[in-house]
Amino acid sequence: LARLHSAGHLLDAAMTAAGCALVPAKGYHFSPGSYVEYAGKLGATQREELLPRLKAEMDRLVARAEATRVWLDEAGRRMVSIGGAGCPCRGG
């Protein structure tokens, strides 16, 4: 389960690095059916353009073995970043 949870954070870091401004809203990190939902919408063209950038960023983050950092923000929320891009972590 830890791998699936970490993969959700890796996906979010790659989304940010790929230039996607959607905000992560919900994650489910259990097998089968792991996913991360994002608030907002992308048009068909935007989705098609995002996919190769997203794959490239995922490959880059994995190849570079980017460090994972965990901390509490000012509001006391647990935050996780991989390669510098952070988002709230609601546990898991």
Side-chain angles (χ1 to χ4, degrees), residues 41-87:
K41 293 189 178 207
L42 295 175
T45 301
Q46 291 173 305
R47 284 193 306 270
E48 289 175 20
E49 292 170 352
L50 174 62
L51 287 175
R53 291 194 322 261
L54 181 59
K55 181 176 181 344
E57 289 300 333
M58 293 283 286
D59 291 345
R60 182 185 66 80
L61 288 166
V62 170
R64 290 179 55 181
E66 292 285 356
T68 300
R69 182 174 165 241
V70 180
W71 74 98
L72 296 179
D73 71 3
E74 306 80 37
R77 295 179 306 172
R78 184 169 56 171
M79 304 291 289
V80 174
S81 73
I82 298 175
C87 71

Side-chain angles (χ1 to χ4, degrees), residues 15-29:
M15 288 280 281
T16 300
C20 184
L22 296 179
V23 177
K26 179 181 177 184
Y28 179 80
H29 307 300

Side-chain angles (χ1 to χ4, degrees), residues 6-22:
S6 296
H9 287 290
L10 180 67
L11 173 62
D12 188 60
M15 288 280 281
T16 300
C20 184
L22 296 179

